[in-house]
C-alpha cells in the first residue's frame, strides 16, 4: 500500500459526509500462494482511482499479497483473528501476528464465521479494540437472516450486533472501524439486496453509531456486502449512505473486481 492510500486513522474522509469509498474483496477459502501471486499480478488498480481497495486472502497467502501489492494502492486484510495476543488457543492467530506479516486490517464477525465457527458478539467486543490497538483496520460484519427479515426483526438484530461489538471501542476510535452490512440471505446466493434495502439498513447502522458519537457517524465508512457483481454494483454504490462494498465471489476475478472498483464514486 502506498502512504497516500493508508487506511485507519489516516484514511481520507470528510466530516460532511464525503467519505472515500472502500471496495474489499473477500477470497474466503480460495487462494493458494501460487494463485494469490498470480491474482495480484493480474489485478490492476489505479492508486488515484475513485476508491480505496483491499483484498482478504487466507492467512497462508497474506505475506504473498503484502509483497506483491506493497507498492500498489491495494490494502491487505486478514479474514479473522483471535482477541488474545498469546495463549492456549490452538489454531488461532493474533493481531500482532498479522501486523508482523504486514496486514493492514482484518475482517471480523463475517456471518460464515458466526455460523460455522461459533463467532460471538461477545468475542467481537474484545477483537475490535485488540485490532485497533495493534494498528489493524477492522471491518465488522453485521446482518440479518432471511427469517429475521421476514419477522421484521432486521433493526433489532443490527442494533444488538452493532452495539455489542462496538461497546469497548473508544468514542474517538469509532470512525476507524469499517462496518459491512451483509444480509445473510444475500451472501453467496446471487440475491442482491435492493438499493433501497441496502440504503435503509446502512442509514440505520449509521444512526446507531450516532448514538455514540455524531462525528463518528459522519466519518465511519459502512459497506454493503451480498452478491455484488460488476453489473449491479453501481446502483448500490450510488446510495448516499453506502460507502463501498465487501465482495465475495465476484472478487475472485481480478478484472471483474476492478470493474466493481470503477463503479465506486466518491
Ligand atoms: C462476502 O463473502 O462477504 C460476500 C458478500 O460474498 P458474496 O459477494 O459472494 O455474496
Amino acid at each position: 500500500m502506498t502512504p497516500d492510500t493508508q487506511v485507519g486513522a489516516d484514511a481520507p474522509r470528510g466530516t460532511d459526509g464525503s467519505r472515500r469509498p472502500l471496495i474489499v474483496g473477500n477470497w474466503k477459502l480460495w487462494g493458494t500462494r501460487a494463485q494469490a501471486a498470480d491474482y495480484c499480478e493480474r489485478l490492476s488498480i489505479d492508486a488515484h482511482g475513485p476508491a480505496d481497495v483491499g483484498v482478504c486472502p487466507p492467512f497462508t497467502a497474506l505475506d504473498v499479497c503484502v509483497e506483491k501489492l506493497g507498492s500498489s494502492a491495494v490494502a491487505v486484510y486478514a479474514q479473522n483473528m483471535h482477541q488474545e495476543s498469546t495463549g492456549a488457543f490452538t489454531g488461532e492467530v493474533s493481531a500482532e501476528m498479522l501486523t508482523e506479516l504486514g496486514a493492514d486490517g482484518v475482517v471480523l464477525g463475517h456471518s460464515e464465521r458466526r455460523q460455522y465457527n461459533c463467532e460471538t458478539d461477545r468475542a467481537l467486543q474484545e477483537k475490535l479494540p485488540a485490532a485497533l490497538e495493534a494498528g489493524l483496520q477492522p471491518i465488522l460484519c453485521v446482518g440479518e437472516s432471511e427469517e429475521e427479515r421476514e419477522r421484521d426483526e432486521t433493526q433489532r438484530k443490527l442494533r444488538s450486533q452493532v452495539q455489542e461489538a462496538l461497546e469497548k471501542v473508544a468514542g474517538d476510535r469509532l470512525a476507524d472501524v469499517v462496518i459491512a452490512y451483509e444480509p445473510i440471505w444475500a451472501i453467496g446466493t446471487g440475491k442482491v439486496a435492493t438499493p433501497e434495502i441496502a440504503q435503509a439498513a446502512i442509514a440505520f447502522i449509521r444512526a446507531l453509531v450516532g448514538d455514540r458519537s455524531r462525528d463518528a457517524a459522519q466519518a465511519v465508512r459502512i459497506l454493503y456486502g451480498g452478491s455484488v457483481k460488476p453489473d449491479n454494483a453501481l446502483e448500490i454504490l450510488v446510495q448516499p449512505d453506502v460507502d463501498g462494498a465487501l465482495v465475495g465471489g465476484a472478487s475472485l476475478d481480478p478484472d471483474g473486481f476492478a470493474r466493481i472498483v470503477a463503479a465506486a464514486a466518491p
Side-chain angles (χ1 to χ4, degrees), residues 26 28 110 112 141 182 186-190 224-229 246-251:
N26 176 17
K28 312 192 190 202
H110 192 283
E112 288 154 13
C141 300
E182 298 211 302
I187 297 179
T189 59
Y224 167 79
S227 297
V228 172
K229 309 256 180 307
L246 183 55
V247 185
S251 73

Side-chain angles (χ1 to χ4, degrees), residues 198-250:
Q199 165 59 26
I202 288 176
F204 179 72
I205 293 168
R206 195 175 302 288
L208 292 172
V209 176
D211 291 340
R212 292 276 310 277
S213 159
R214 288 172 69 144
D215 287 349
Q218 283 301 315
V220 70
R221 290 188 288 187
I222 309 179
L223 318 182
Y224 167 79
S227 297
V228 172
K229 309 256 180 307
D231 59 1
N232 64 24
L234 183 62
E235 61 185 22
I236 302 247
L237 293 173
V238 294
Q239 297 304 309
D241 278 287
V242 179
D243 300 322
L246 183 55
V247 185

Side-chain angles (χ1 to χ4, degrees), residues 57-80:
F59 291 135
T60 49
L62 279 169
D63 63 329
V64 173
C65 293
V66 167
E67 190 193 321
K68 292 276 180 193
L69 299 171
S71 60
S72 78
V74 180
V76 179
Y77 294 78
Q79 297 177 19
N80 180 43

